[in-house]
Amino acid sequence: MEKPEAFDVIVVGAGASGIGVGAVLKDLGLENFAILERYQIGESFRRWPQEMNFITPSFPSHGFGHLDLNAIARKTSPAISFRREHLSGKQYAQYLEKVADYFQIPVYTGVEVQKIEPLPQCRGFLVYVPDGILKTQFLIWAAGEFQYPNLTPFPGADLCLHNSQIQSWTHLQGDEFIIIGGYESGMDAASNLVALGKRVKVLDRTGIWANPDTDPSISLSPYTLQRIEFCYSTGRLELIGNAAIEEVKTVPGGYAVYSEYNKWVSPTQPILCTGFEGSLKHIAHLFNWSEGYAGLTEEDESTITPGLFVVGPSVRHGNVIFCFIYKFRQRFAVVANAIAHRLGIDTTPLDSYRQEGMFLDDLSCCDNDCLC
């Protein structure tokens, strides 16, 4: 592929956050930028299990001033594109391709970023790719999480099968399964296995299905709770809380799963639904991790590496977690605004983003309180 040697902005990753922030940069009139994707647009969504669908509903409501919850660009709607409320991963990847094509976003696929090197005196970054070295003044990290599962949460985890490694739940042989982890991916696995007539135990360290928190970043979504209620009524689902798993071992006839005081035996490989390490681990040295997550400024810029911005589900400010699309898309314009000011670009096009609720720069309003 032909690329200029230097860019104003390079975005790493062409998923929901990469394409979304790319659409904002195009709206600003920025031309000298590139999105680098090592596989295809929306690759993480393409790798979802075949039966996995979005837990956030898509619904067309533009006429009343509300953006589809799963849209990553203004005046677009997955619901309208596919006439479906809960899209599959492959359908959403197609939506992202449509957005990239419509906005003519410069995406280069099949390009793996091998190394990021900040230049001294805040003069930008060198981005190492297989066919050379690129230079950019600003770098936006949008590589996501799904392709970076947490495979080693405890000894013996390598004996298990992580849910991100499953192409279809119909491929699994056996009638009884143990799932470790009870958040969204664990409950999705349970729902699909129960639907196939399997008997399932879900082991979770807290029993998150009973968490009454109103923030779906902390508790289960209504869509998931509704599915689990139906599965539970079949008698084929058992939910076991306060089960912090410490080890998995092979035993005659299958696998033994141990907590401090209990043991469960499964004839099939336990299913790991223990979440994701995320892609930031590849450039962890460029962030301050003193609070357990990547330290970011109010503009989602690394606190120790100027010019490096983060978009997507890894963004977090205190108790405000941006791990859903409808949350992290509100920060695209914040990042784009910061870069535009430093490049001397007119930011007037971002006024419409603020009017449409896609320019969240005041986190004091992020409150999940609900009266009833």
Side-chain angles (χ1 to χ4, degrees):
M1 70 177 182
E2 295 182 2
K3 304 182 296 290
E5 293 184 357
F7 295 90
D8 291 326
V9 181
I10 283 179
V11 181
V12 179
S17 54
I19 297 300
V21 77
V24 183
L25 295 176
K26 286 291 289 188
D27 270 351
L28 283 169
L30 186 66
E31 296 295 336
N32 188 29
F33 79 96
I35 297 179
L36 308 182
E37 167 57 53
R38 63 175 172 167
Y39 298 117
Q40 302 179 67
I41 291 174
E43 181 67 23
S44 289
F45 296 101
R46 298 177 194 277
R47 296 188 181 202
W48 279 12
Q50 181 179 315
E51 299 83 4
M52 182 179 281
N53 296 321
F54 270 68
I55 60 174
T56 44
S58 286
F59 201 84
S61 51
H62 291 168
F64 294 88
H66 297 288
L67 194 62
D68 186 317
L69 280 183
N70 298 311
I72 46 88
R74 296 183 311 120
K75 299 181 180 178
T76 71
S77 170
I80 293 176
S81 295
F82 290 91
R83 299 295 176 183
R84 183 167 175 170
E85 186 176 21
H86 295 276
L87 273 67
S88 70
K90 286 184 173 57
Q91 288 172 325
Y92 196 75
Q94 292 170 14
Y95 160 72
L96 294 178
E97 285 183 327
K98 289 183 178 183
V99 173
D101 182 62
Y102 180 81
F103 288 95
Q104 298 183 317
I105 298 171
V107 181
Y108 299 93
T109 57
V111 180
E112 182 172 5
V113 173
Q114 300 169 322
K115 179 183 174 183
I116 302 294
E117 181 181 324
L119 293 171
Q121 300 176 334
C122 302
R123 291 186 292 112
F125 301 85
L126 296 181
V127 180
Y128 291 76
V129 295
D131 57 352
I133 301 175
L134 308 176
K135 182 180 179 182
T136 183
Q137 190 168 349
F138 299 100
L139 184 73
I140 301 177
W141 192 264
E145 298 189 344
F146 188 80
Q147 295 180 49
Y148 308 92
N150 179 12
L151 298 175
T152 56
F154 45 74
D158 57 305
L159 299 172
C160 305
L161 187 62
H162 197 278
N163 75 297
S164 65
Q165 300 169 323
I166 294 169
Q167 293 182 336
S168 171
W169 295 105
T170 61
H171 294 172
L172 299 189
Q173 301 296 313
D175 297 316
E176 296 181 17
F177 292 87
I178 284 179
I179 294 172
I180 302 173
Y183 192 52
E184 294 292 350
S185 58
M187 291 309 195
D188 181 73
S191 297
N192 284 300
L193 288 170
V194 168
L196 292 169
K198 317 295 186 181
R199 299 189 67 85
V200 178
K201 286 186 176 72
V202 179
L203 311 179
D204 186 76
R205 67 171 56 243
T206 63
I208 193 168
W209 43 82
N211 189 330
D213 199 289
T214 56
D215 185 353
S217 294
I218 298 173
S219 58
L220 293 175
S221 68
Y223 176 69
T224 298
L225 290 170
Q226 182 178 326
R227 296 173 73 198
I228 289 303
E229 183 178 353
F230 172 78
C231 291
Y232 199 75
S233 70
T234 67
R236 296 194 297 273
L237 175 63
E238 184 178 355
L239 303 176
I240 303 172
N242 298 314
I245 304 308
E246 297 185 344
E247 188 174 14
V248 172
K249 294 181 179 179
T250 55
V251 295
Y255 303 82
V257 181
Y258 297 88
S259 68
E260 184 177 2
Y261 301 110
N262 292 290
K263 169 187 172 182
W264 300 269
V265 176
S266 172
T268 56
Q269 268 187 290
I271 307 297
L272 270 187
C273 294
T274 48
F276 304 88
E277 293 183 349
S279 62
L280 285 181
K281 67 178 183 179
H282 293 292
I283 54 171
H285 63 290
L286 300 179
F287 296 93
N288 175 12
W289 296 86
S290 62
E291 296 184 24
Y293 49 88
L296 302 175
T297 69
E298 293 182 355
E299 296 174 324
D300 292 353
E301 183 176 14
S302 169
T303 55
I304 62 173
T305 309
L308 171 61
F309 295 83
V310 179
V311 293
S314 299
V315 174
R316 179 166 178 168
H317 292 277
N319 295 324
V320 184
I321 306 170
F322 290 89
C323 65
F324 280 87
I325 289 171
Y326 72 88
K327 292 183 175 185
F328 65 67
R329 72 184 181 193
Q330 297 182 88
R331 301 293 290 180
F332 297 158
V334 174
V335 171
N337 182 64
I339 292 175
H341 276 296
R342 297 182 207 181
L343 291 174
I345 295 174
D346 179 21
T347 60
T348 302
L350 297 181
D351 291 345
S352 58
Y353 280 81
R354 192 179 296 279
Q355 294 168 7
E356 295 184 29
M358 290 188 69
F359 195 152
L360 179 62
D361 54 358
D362 179 10
L363 300 182
S364 66
C365 68
C366 296
D367 192 338
N368 285 294
D369 286 348
C370 182
L371 294 178
C372 61

